[in-house]
């Protein structure tokens, strides 16, 4: 069954067999547990000015890159086959807790391969409190051979409620970063227009549908922990939870939710696939421009 919400979102209800996801090893840096971030490694992000793509692991070596063995932060230039290590893996990277604010904040530094005769390529991560899982946002070079990223995440908040499940909501596609983080709802979700008047589909983007006292829309009856739920004749079922992050496709980007809670009428575990793509009307020529991302 297919349904649409607004002009750029397609929902496809399908059936799949679940694949077990193996969690990453513990990733403890200073007083912070970053295992959840390491679980989704490698993270990819882009310097939008010159198109350099960065691959990042926080607590392990990168695999299958052109950077030297042992690299944790690898930079691949847009118009070059040369890759540079901006940070080597270390079991105890340089870190310090910042004194700013009441929430946890962390500065993390990686040192990579030599840069000239007396310097090294280096990466500085500035972690601070944010409302979502977040991702590393490129901030530029603060000095020669050193790049800086800012990472806002609820992992560094002391009082902000955390979701049952959230996955990365930004992905690199055709050299540009597609960021759907602004679509994440911290409570409640979206009601999807359905072709079937007897069926209602409710979803959130990259995160479970969180219910609290402020939620008064139709999502208030969704199964706890679900990111998609289906309502048929007032009967509510869990139609999927995120396992992997946002994925690039030939037409746009995609989220896939799966569930182990099988309704009596189903012969396999239900799932929900959400395709985000550029609408073919309105004078928008491509997906990146539709999202307000410059194409270089």
């Amino acid at each position: 069954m297919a349904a649409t919400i607004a002009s750029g979102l397609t929902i496809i209800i399908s059936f799949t067999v679940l694949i077990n996801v193996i969690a990453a090893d513990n990733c403890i840096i200073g007083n912070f547990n970053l295992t959840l971030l390491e679980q989704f490694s490698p993270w990819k992000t882009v310097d939008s000015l010159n198109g350099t793509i960065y691959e990042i692991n926080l607590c392990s070596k990168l695999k299958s890159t052109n950077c030297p063995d042992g690299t944790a932060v690898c930079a691949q230039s847009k118009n070059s086959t040369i890759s540079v290590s901006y940070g080597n893996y270390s079991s105890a990277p340089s870190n310090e807790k910042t004194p700013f604010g009441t929430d946890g904040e962390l500065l993390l530094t990686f040192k990579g391969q030599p840069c000239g005769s007396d310097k090294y390529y280096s990466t500085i991560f500035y972690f601070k409190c944010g409302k979502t899982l977040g991702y590393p946002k490129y901030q530029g070079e603060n000095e020669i051979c050193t790049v800086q990223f800012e990472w806002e995440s609820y992992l560094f908040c002391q009082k902000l409620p955390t979701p049952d499940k959230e996955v990365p909501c930004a992905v690199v596609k055709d050299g540009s970063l597609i960021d759907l983080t602004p679509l994440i709802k911290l409570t409640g979700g979206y009601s999807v227009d359905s072709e079937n008047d007897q069926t209602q589909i409710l979803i959130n983007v990259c995160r479970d549908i969180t219910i609290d006292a402020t939620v008064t829309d139709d999502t208030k009856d969704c199964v706890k922990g679900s990111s998609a739920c289906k309502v048929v004749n007032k009967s509510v079922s869990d139609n999927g939870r995120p396992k992997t992050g946002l994925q690039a496709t030939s037409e746009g980007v995609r989220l896939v939710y799966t569930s182990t809670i099988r309704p009596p009428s189903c012969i396999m575990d239900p799932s929900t696939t959400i395709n985000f793509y550029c609408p073919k009307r309105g004078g928008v020529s491509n997906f990146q421009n539709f999202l307000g991302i410059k194409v270089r």
Side-chain angles (χ1 to χ4, degrees):
M1 182 183 72
T4 59
I5 180 172
S7 59
L9 175 63
T10 296
I11 309 297
I12 302 173
I13 305 300
S14 58
F15 303 94
T16 61
V17 177
L18 284 177
I19 299 174
N20 290 330
V21 177
I22 300 175
D25 293 333
N26 288 341
C27 178
I28 310 296
I29 299 178
N31 296 323
F32 298 97
N33 187 343
L34 306 185
T35 303
L36 183 58
L37 299 183
E38 179 68 10
Q39 177 182 336
F40 294 109
S41 294
W43 292 80
K44 288 188 178 182
T45 192
V46 178
D47 169 5
S48 59
L49 185 62
N50 59 37
T52 300
I53 296 176
Y54 293 86
E55 282 193 64
I56 298 165
N57 277 8
L58 295 175
C59 288
S60 60
K61 302 175 184 178
L62 287 167
K63 299 178 180 179
S64 303
T65 70
N66 293 325
C67 279
D69 183 47
T71 296
V73 181
C74 183
Q76 173 69 60
S77 298
K78 180 178 181 180
N79 299 316
S80 173
T81 58
I82 299 175
S83 296
V84 176
S85 171
Y86 269 81
N88 296 327
Y89 165 70
S90 171
S91 59
S94 173
N95 68 91
E96 60 179 299
K97 185 176 180 180
T98 68
F100 309 112
T102 57
D103 288 303
E105 296 185 353
L106 176 70
L107 282 176
L108 182 62
T109 304
F110 286 88
K111 185 169 71 173
Q113 67 189 64
C115 178
S117 59
D118 59 348
K119 292 182 179 292
Y120 288 88
Y121 288 102
S122 300
T123 302
I124 299 173
F125 293 97
Y126 173 35
F127 295 93
K128 64 180 184 178
C129 175
K131 294 181 179 180
T132 66
L133 186 64
Y135 66 91
K137 296 181 180 179
Y138 181 80
Q139 300 295 302
E141 292 188 77
N142 63 351
E143 59 182 70
I144 297 176
C145 305
T146 300
V147 295
Q148 185 168 331
F149 295 90
E150 182 179 83
W151 200 324
E152 296 183 67
S153 175
Y154 60 73
L155 296 177
F156 296 87
C157 302
Q158 293 184 356
K159 297 181 179 180
L160 191 69
T162 58
D164 283 353
K165 182 70 173 183
E166 185 181 326
V167 295
C169 214
V171 66
V172 175
K173 174 179 167 59
D174 300 330
S176 296
L177 185 71
I178 307 299
D179 179 15
L180 300 189
T181 303
L183 297 181
I184 298 174
K185 286 203 170 190
L186 302 185
T187 58
Y190 298 94
S191 178
V192 182
D193 294 334
S194 174
E195 297 172 351
N196 186 342
D197 293 337
Q198 303 301 315
T199 300
Q200 184 179 22
I201 305 296
L202 302 163
I203 64 167
N204 198 1
V205 177
C206 296
R207 185 176 178 140
D208 64 280
I209 299 171
T210 301
I211 308 300
D212 64 14
T214 66
V215 176
T216 58
D217 60 23
D218 293 334
T219 59
K220 66 182 184 299
D221 297 321
C222 285
V223 179
K224 178 177 172 54
S226 63
S227 294
C229 66
K230 182 169 64 173
V231 183
V232 181
N233 296 325
K234 297 184 179 181
S235 176
V236 182
S237 61
D238 179 345
N239 225 86
R241 305 168 184 226
K243 301 295 182 182
T244 59
L246 192 66
Q247 304 168 24
T249 68
S250 59
E251 295 183 347
V253 293
R254 174 180 297 165
L255 283 169
V256 178
Y257 300 154
T258 54
S259 174
T260 57
I261 303 175
R262 187 182 304 176
S265 59
C266 295
I267 60 173
M268 297 184 69
D269 295 334
S271 71
T272 300
T273 299
I274 309 172
N275 292 305
F276 301 82
Y277 57 90
C278 176
K280 296 181 180 179
R281 61 182 183 275
V284 180
S285 60
N286 59 51
F287 183 73
Q288 287 90 342
N289 284 340
F290 173 64
L291 292 180
I293 297 174
K294 294 181 179 180
V295 180
R296 299 182 183 277

